[in-house]
Structure formats: C-alpha cells, structure tokens
C-alpha cells in the first residue's frame, strides 16, 4: 500500500516537480519523497481524522502539510519560496484529492495506507520514510537528535 501511495505522488509529481525547471533533476525524487512524507506525517499523526482532513481542502491540517512541505524543500534542496509554494499548491491538493477518491482507481484508501505503514503510528510511518536514524524501528527524540546532531 505505501509503495502505491508513493507511486501516486510520483504520478502527480511529474508535471509539478519533474517538468519544473525550478527543481534540479537530481532533486526530483527527494522533492516527491518530501511530499509523501509531509502528507503521511500529518495524516498518520491524526489517523482518526484522516477522512475529515481529506474531505476538506481548507482544513488547517492541509495548510500544515503544505507549509511543512514548502519549508522542507526550500531547506533541503534550495528551491525558492515561490517555486516551492507553486509546487505545494498543485501537488499536495492533487494527491490528497486522489486519496479522497480512492487513489484514482487503484482501489486503496488512506486508512489502508496508514495500516500498511504501522497501523497509523507516526513512528512507523517515519521509519518507512527514512527518518529512523538510529535503526530501532521507530522515529523518536533519539532520531531527531541524530538528524540535527544536538
């Protein structure tokens, strides 16, 4: 399921990321991974509200997803704020709309995706997204410390 979700992100990222001259080709995959991570971190943090979030494009959580995504790709890949905002404004709502509508014919839903990456547990989702820096199977303060070398 999670792999299907990331394929969905890649499918919709073709125009807004891959064909975008503001995103260097070597960062295409990383930018799309950040989009998936931003979506899953918020939906996985509130799995019981995932349907509500997906059904309301004006939900504060959607704004949080876009804001996190913008900040991350600016910091990690040096993408300008205007380019990052443009990517977020097209990619995030398109992916979330597809999730709301059952993955554009793929037959999965957000609850299944959350279950496939650890029952909606944010730590398990983070581990799948490569955030488990200490290799213990979850994402916690130890991983944050290793990320930022406190």
């Amino acid at each position: 399921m999670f792999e299907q979700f990331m394929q969905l992100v890649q499918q919709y990222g073709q125009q807004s990321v891959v064909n975008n001259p503001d995103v260097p080709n070597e960062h295409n995959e990383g930018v799309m991974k950040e989009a998936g991570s931003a979506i899953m971190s918020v939906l996985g943090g509130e799995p019981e509200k995932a349907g509500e979030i997906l059904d309301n494009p004006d939900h504060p959580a959607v704004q949080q997803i876009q804001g996190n995504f913008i900040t991350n790709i600016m910091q990690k890949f040096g993408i300008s704020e205007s380019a990052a905002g443009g990517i977020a404004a097209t990619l995030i709502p398109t992916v979330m709309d597809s999730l709301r509508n059952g993955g554009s014919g793929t037959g999965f839903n957000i609850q299944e995706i959350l279950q496939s990456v650890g029952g909606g547990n944010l730590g398990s989702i983070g581990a799948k997204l490569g955030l488990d820096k200490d290799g213990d199977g979850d994402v916690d303060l130890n991983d944050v410390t290793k990320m930022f070398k406190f």
Side-chain angles (χ1 to χ4, degrees), residues 1-149:
M1 278 301 149
F2 182 74
E3 290 76 22
Q4 287 177 315
F5 167 71
M6 288 308 296
Q7 288 174 352
L8 188 69
V9 172
Q10 290 175 352
Q11 173 187 339
Y12 290 114
Q14 185 67 36
Q15 182 63 39
S16 60
V17 178
V18 176
N19 296 340
N20 188 334
D22 293 322
V23 179
N25 288 336
E26 64 269 16
H27 298 311
N28 289 341
E29 187 176 328
V31 169
M32 288 188 278
K33 188 173 182 178
E34 286 299 322
S37 177
I39 293 168
M40 282 295 125
S41 68
V42 171
L43 295 180
E46 301 185 67
E48 68 283 349
K49 293 185 179 182
E52 174 188 331
I53 293 167
L54 290 172
D55 287 339
N56 181 0
D58 296 322
H59 195 284
V62 176
Q63 303 308 311
Q64 179 185 354
I65 291 168
Q66 288 183 343
N68 291 347
F69 175 65
I70 290 168
T71 300
N72 289 344
I73 66 173
M74 286 173 55
Q75 291 176 350
K76 291 181 180 182
F77 307 112
I79 296 172
S80 72
E81 184 174 2
S82 63
I87 296 166
T90 57
L91 182 57
I92 301 299
T94 303
V95 171
M96 293 184 69
D97 184 56
S98 184
L99 288 172
R100 178 177 48 256
N101 294 318
S104 199
T106 58
F108 63 83
N109 66 39
I110 192 62
Q111 294 302 330
E112 290 173 355
I113 294 169
L114 294 174
Q115 286 297 323
S116 77
V117 292
N121 178 303
L122 182 57
S124 297
I125 293 168
K128 289 259 187 179
L129 293 171
L131 301 175
D132 181 13
K133 300 300 182 188
D134 61 7
D136 64 355
D138 66 1
V139 178
D140 54 20
L141 187 56
N142 291 331
D143 299 298
V144 173
T145 303
K146 290 191 183 291
M147 280 183 230
F148 297 104
K149 297 181 178 41

